[in-house]
Amino acid sequence: MPVRILMLALGAAMADRTMVELRASRALRVAEVDEAMLKPRLNGLQPDPTKKPWLEALTEGSGLDGIRMVEILGLLAVALIVSRQAKFPLCGRKAEKEQSTFDPVAAREYRFGPSLMQKLEGSHAMTSEELANVLHTHVGEMTGNTRQPSLGLSDRQVEEHQQIFGRNALTPAKKENPIWLLIKQVFGGLFNIMLWICVACELTLALIFDGDDTLTPLILSMVIVASGTLQWWTELQAESMMESLQNMQRTELVCVYRSTFQGGKRVVQETWIEPGDLVPGELVVLEAGDKIPADIRIVFCTEGAEVDNAALTGESLPEARTVEVEGEGVAVHEAHNVCFFGTTVLKGKMKGIVFATGDDTFLGQINETMTQCARTRSTLETQIEHFVHVIAYVAMAVGILSLVANLMSPVQRPIDLILENAATAFFAQVPEGLLPTVTISLMIASTRMVKKKVLVRKIDAIETLGCVSVLCSDKTGTLTSGCMTATDVVTYAGGFSSCRCTGSEWAAPVANASVLSLAQCGILNNSSKPNREGVMAGSPTEVAIMEACTRVLGDDRMQYQQQSPQVFEIPFNSETKWMLTIHADDLQAGAFRMVLKGAPERVLAMCTRVLNEASTVELTDQRRAEINASLHKLMSGGRRVLCFAEMRLDGYADDFVFEGSSPEKCNFPMAGFTWVGLIGLEDPPKEGVKEAIAVLDDASCKTVMVTGDHPTTAQAIATRIGILKENELANLPEDIRRYTVVTGSQLADYVPDGDGFEHGACSEEQMEFWRQTVQHARVFARVSPVHKRVIVRAYQQIGGAIVAMTGDGVNDAPALKAAEVGIAMGIRGTEVAKEAADIVLLDDQFTSVVEAMGQGRLCSENLKKSIMYTLCSKIPQVMPTFAELLGVPTALTVTQVLLIDIGTDIWTAIAYAFQPAEASLMSQKPRHPLRERMVDWTVLVYSYFYIGMIQMAACWFVFFSMPHILDLMHKHSSSYTVDETKWNYAGMAAYYWTLVLGQLGAAMVTTTTRTSLLSYGLPNKWLNVCFVLEVLLAATVIYWEPCQRLFKTEPLNATQALMGCTGLVAILFVEEIRKACFRWGDTRRDAKAALLLLEES
């Protein structure tokens, strides 16, 4: 009986307070209660005296008496309490076993219906009530400060929505385990595979064929592992720095309305929560300066509310927002009643319903497509792969040739010795030091660039940047400051004067009374307000005018605002296109000052006079024409122009109530204003951008503006910064002009079907359009994110260019990832853009791109010189193996080869990273990695058959000059006496010493290609240190007894040591002659070119 009483009590309590749970409970469905029958009866449970009591309403037609029904409810209550760990509370608290199989998608469909996401895509075409019904929330009459008894979500609904929709955060790009990345760095890549094959061969010879050289594979393995670890660590550090930058960004709390119970009544509270805790259905409040935390459908906003969508669209001007329902044909990203995650409120106050969070937002969808896009391979990867193929062919050919020669030799050798000779020949051709050389050189360049505020996320992007021939750049925030600035002012003082006032010029003392009056109008008719940090917030236009006028008025600004308090305002709207404020004059009773600001054509139409310093003159037709001429000049230069006018009102009572919202409805005069002046505003180019683009032009790197902004604005800025030359379009033929400034509407018909321009992706007409566009285009305007990616692909696949892309917005991210080098802004850039980029500019300065490109070219040039130097020793290293077939004593062992490659050459090769440029690299054409390989036939000829042959000749000369070497001809080393072994070791020491000194000469001459060392000198101190250390190491190997035993050498006398300088002297002498001949040829060619140019002129 007590149990039954308990069940009855629980059942009654549950029915009174949690009927919503019963309506959705799976337990009821298990009990075969018809939910369709149950819903209308549950509605009767609300406290309505006109309806039946809840128990009677519930049991009617069910075949159960009231007591039995209450017992069932009590059992259900016990079940819900016991299973309190469920993840989906409104479907019943599930057992622990069911938690692991919770399906958010199924739960979403069950709770909201099967097509929720399709419905939400049309949220801009719904009324606020319709959207609220879809998301099970309440908006009531959410206008102004009005609140309803039920507004927003309840705490239980929030918990449910969090389970279904997850946190409001973008899913980060999938990152591989650092240990797996390290394994790939060490064991992945063609070059690493080839080196590990060498290690395997050496170990096989040592372990299976009883070889005595286990040191070589051990050292080589250490080199491979160290190189891979260094690159892994560098990129890991860059990622760590990126995460630190992200963690430093402050997240602001969001104000939401929540329905809750207090004292048995439902009340609405304003609650501040973390943006990540937002769920669909929340009602949020946003004010000027707030970051929009999710995709929001606006249900209320003040007149003239504006948002900054530049991060999504690239549009620099603010966009107005409204509550009006959009048509069915309008895309959601073009709707004016929607605010998007990642953008900013500039002006006004808004309230709205969150309809998408996290990955479901518009930004999240772009981010998801980014994670699915494959990254373009860097040019260094391509270069190394090509180099590995070349070296692999050479090494295999030499190894096979050595094997065949050993087998056909008249001197019979055991199989282990034959394999050792073949492996030695193969091993000698593999530049073991190349991998650490490339890695450490790039690390050094990366460190240098960090000091210049350039963060390199992928270190091979440095070399790729040096090969870039087309730089596609976003405009807003990259080429321009991304901040609206007042730059021009037009006033009248005995005549119209237009002056450009930027930077410090605004702060100069202003003697013109007309300019002072214009500044006063600018601060009075202004809706910007200081935020919590004291920084002016609001529309960028308003903030720019306030800042400029404040600099003119100085300390008088605050005093003037206090003396002229605002008493009335007609806000700006899209119909009138002006804003009016009325201010009382504290210094004169009954006097008011009206200030009118807006579109020049609208304001000018309401004016009859012109301010002439302290007086006024009539606005004649001639003066009106002059104002319009100034206006046209500013607008053609890409400025946004606002006109200011004023009127004095005298004889009004101090408590007069001004009324009206349009000229027809106002109770005060709205005609006869005095024209005060024009203020031109723009998003100005960043300092140094014009000079940087001029440097890029000299470097044969084409700069192309790719923006979502208006074509007129884009063209004006492009002309200002040098992308377009002054009057260039006017002088071009019509068939070329249409391809110079290309708009998104032009591109719409020519976008290929796939991701690129592969065979069959587009028609011949489309291909012809893109051929002309790639050749002539300098500005792309009003383009979408898809267009930006296609533009990059067109330059890559049709133009054959190496492309870098700079940007800061979400709309730039697809193109950043498609380009060979993606460059994002570190301060202004969105997280999506930075995640897609290879390089991040920590100071957002475009000039840093030019510096990084110069560093990339220097890095590429030094890598090429380093490889040339490394390959110079390969011929003299392998020839002793073949010479043994002719009966020549051993001149160089595998251990000595490894000592040269890793003990000396590797450090010298790395020191090339500090080599200064031989000439101005930014005045040369970029090297195309597919047409001008880093390692081409000229490098092979120079290293193998030029410097290598000189070294080989010098080494053999010194080797055969050693005493008793000729006596060892055609003798096997196993039959040597003790003295003969010493003679052979002395010969090997001489060969090794000569080769080391020859490599010193090779290192010196490869630092320049045409400049004489006599004039260039040896400016690289690290390289000079390596020269000294190489000589000391070689001397240690030859003269220190422990090293003599390890490396099989004998000490040389002074004469023999001096003879080792033969190769060094020969290389220096011959190279000076070659460089002099090249300089002479260059001089003759330049003279002929100058003569031809003179004849043509």
Side-chain angles (χ1 to χ4, degrees), residues 34-315:
D34 187 353
E35 192 176 12
M37 177 190 72
L38 183 63
K39 282 184 178 179
R41 292 170 186 155
L42 289 175
N43 291 333
L45 297 176
Q46 301 298 328
D48 189 338
T50 64
K51 296 186 178 180
K52 298 179 180 180
W54 67 266
L55 189 58
E56 182 180 345
L58 187 63
T59 58
E60 182 180 354
S62 66
L64 299 173
D65 59 32
I67 300 300
R68 185 60 178 164
M69 179 60 72
V70 172
E71 287 182 348
I72 292 175
L73 294 178
L75 288 170
L76 290 174
V78 172
L80 289 170
I81 293 170
V82 170
S83 57
R84 62 184 180 278
Q85 298 299 320
K87 289 186 177 180
F88 191 25
L90 295 189
C91 287
R93 299 280 185 178
K94 296 185 287 186
E96 187 70 28
K97 182 177 180 181
E98 293 183 30
Q99 288 188 31
S100 60
T101 60
F102 175 72
D103 185 354
V105 177
R108 181 185 300 181
E109 290 185 359
Y110 174 76
R111 185 70 177 86
F112 298 97
S115 55
L116 175 65
M117 301 316 295
Q118 288 83 348
K119 292 178 183 177
L120 293 180
E121 287 178 2
S123 57
H124 59 294
M126 299 180 189
T127 65
S128 56
E129 291 78 11
E130 290 172 342
L131 181 58
N133 289 335
V134 170
L135 292 171
H136 298 181
T137 188
H138 303 279
V139 292
E141 298 178 5
M142 190 176 177
T143 56
N145 294 321
T146 303
R147 297 188 191 175
Q148 303 300 309
S150 179
L151 201 63
L153 300 174
S154 67
D155 291 339
R156 293 189 65 81
Q157 284 179 299
V158 170
E159 183 182 352
E160 172 198 352
H161 288 205
Q162 285 176 341
Q163 294 293 338
I164 295 175
F165 296 100
R167 280 186 58 79
N168 177 32
L170 298 181
T171 301
K174 187 178 180 181
K175 295 185 178 181
E176 294 184 270
N177 187 290
I179 302 302
W180 176 243
L181 286 175
L182 176 60
I183 292 171
K184 289 206 309 187
Q185 288 284 11
V186 173
F187 297 98
L190 281 175
F191 195 72
N192 276 9
I193 291 171
M194 187 167 69
L195 292 178
W196 284 117
I197 290 174
C198 292
V199 171
C201 291
E202 291 292 333
L203 283 174
T204 302
L205 290 173
L207 300 177
I208 298 178
F209 295 99
D210 298 327
D212 59 351
D213 185 11
T214 57
L215 180 63
T216 299
L218 177 62
I219 295 177
L220 184 54
S221 299
M222 292 172 61
V223 169
I224 302 170
V225 172
S227 300
T229 304
L230 282 173
Q231 183 166 352
W232 169 78
W233 177 254
T234 302
E235 295 184 358
L236 206 64
Q237 290 293 99
E239 287 300 316
S240 176
M241 189 177 293
M242 279 290 297
E243 291 176 3
S244 299
L245 289 173
Q246 294 171 7
N247 293 334
M248 287 171 61
Q249 295 187 350
R250 182 167 53 95
T251 59
E252 298 179 354
L253 297 179
V254 182
C255 179
V256 300
Y257 289 136
R258 290 275 174 85
S259 296
T260 184
F261 283 97
Q262 287 185 1
K265 295 182 180 180
R266 183 181 292 274
V267 296
V268 177
Q269 288 185 331
E270 285 189 359
T271 306
W272 293 86
I273 65 172
E274 291 285 344
D277 295 332
L278 279 176
V279 295
E282 296 268 26
L283 297 186
V284 300
V285 181
L286 298 171
E287 296 184 353
D290 288 346
K291 286 281 187 182
I292 297 171
D295 284 0
I296 297 168
R297 166 68 162 87
I298 302 170
V299 299
F300 165 79
C301 67
T302 55
E303 185 73 26
E306 294 178 344
V307 296
D308 178 10
N309 279 349
L312 286 178
T313 65
E315 177 71 64

Side-chain angles (χ1 to χ4, degrees), residues 4-50:
R4 190 177 183 193
I5 292 173
L6 177 61
M7 294 299 102
L8 289 171
L10 287 172
M14 182 177 179
D16 281 335
R17 302 190 59 184
T18 59
M19 275 300 158
V20 179
E21 291 190 11
L22 287 174
R23 187 163 50 198
S25 172
R26 290 182 180 177
L28 284 177
R29 296 204 310 273
V30 172
E32 298 182 352
V33 177
D34 187 353
E35 192 176 12
M37 177 190 72
L38 183 63
K39 282 184 178 179
R41 292 170 186 155
L42 289 175
N43 291 333
L45 297 176
Q46 301 298 328
D48 189 338
T50 64

Side-chain angles (χ1 to χ4, degrees), residues 1030-1059:
E1030 278 190 34
V1031 174
L1032 292 177
L1033 177 61
T1036 303
V1037 168
I1038 294 173
Y1039 294 104
W1040 191 36
E1041 188 174 344
C1043 287
Q1044 291 174 0
R1045 292 195 299 269
L1046 181 61
F1047 294 103
K1048 301 179 180 179
T1049 60
E1050 284 289 318
L1052 304 175
N1053 59 37
T1055 303
Q1056 293 165 348
L1058 286 175
M1059 288 180 62

Side-chain angles (χ1 to χ4, degrees), residues 395-573:
M396 284 190 293
V398 171
I400 292 172
L401 186 62
S402 174
L403 180 63
V404 172
N406 272 273
L407 292 173
M408 298 178 63
S409 173
V411 179
Q412 297 299 316
R413 292 181 173 83
I415 187 64
D416 59 333
L417 188 57
I418 292 175
L419 290 175
E420 183 178 356
N421 285 344
T424 302
F426 174 85
F427 188 75
Q429 296 308 302
V430 177
E432 304 85 355
L434 176 65
L435 195 63
T437 297
V438 172
T439 302
I440 297 176
S441 297
L442 293 177
M443 283 178 59
I444 293 169
S446 175
T447 303
R448 284 179 173 177
M449 292 171 74
V450 168
K451 293 178 180 178
K452 296 181 179 180
K453 302 297 182 181
V454 178
L455 175 63
V456 182
R457 298 186 63 209
K458 299 288 290 181
I459 62 173
D460 51 3
I462 301 171
E463 191 276 338
T464 306
L465 194 58
C467 300
V468 167
S469 56
V470 173
L471 176 62
C472 295
S473 178
D474 177 45
K475 180 185 76 70
T476 306
T478 304
L479 297 174
T480 63
S481 65
C483 180
M484 193 64 73
T485 306
T487 57
D488 298 84
V489 59
V490 178
T491 55
Y492 186 87
F496 287 96
S497 62
S498 176
C499 63
R500 182 158 180 79
C501 299
T502 58
S504 60
E505 295 175 24
W506 272 104
V510 180
N512 188 337
S514 296
V515 175
L516 288 173
S517 294
L518 180 60
Q520 292 170 359
C521 291
I523 65 167
L524 292 178
N525 189 319
N526 200 298
S527 60
S528 63
K529 298 288 187 294
N531 60 16
R532 288 184 288 269
E533 288 79 20
V535 179
M536 298 305 296
S539 165
T541 300
E542 301 283 88
V543 171
I545 293 174
M546 177 63 78
E547 290 178 348
C549 295
T550 299
R551 285 197 292 270
V552 173
L553 297 175
D555 297 335
D556 297 335
R557 194 261 292 182
M558 295 294 295
Q559 179 182 356
Y560 193 78
Q561 282 181 312
Q562 293 171 359
Q563 291 176 354
S564 306
Q566 181 176 312
V567 296
F568 182 72
E569 175 183 345
I570 299 179
F572 178 90
N573 65 68

Side-chain angles (χ1 to χ4, degrees), residues 491-496 512-514 517-518 521 593-594 607-620 623 627 644-648 650 672-677:
T491 55
Y492 186 87
F496 287 96
N512 188 337
S514 296
S517 294
L518 180 60
C521 291
R593 183 179 185 179
M594 291 201 302
C607 296
T608 57
R609 301 192 67 79
V610 173
L611 181 66
N612 180 21
E613 297 194 299
S615 61
T616 63
V617 295
E618 183 182 355
L619 179 58
T620 62
R623 290 186 178 120
I627 291 173
F644 287 82
E646 67 176 2
M647 182 190 298
R648 294 281 180 176
D650 296 313
F673 280 87
T674 298
W675 183 90
V676 178

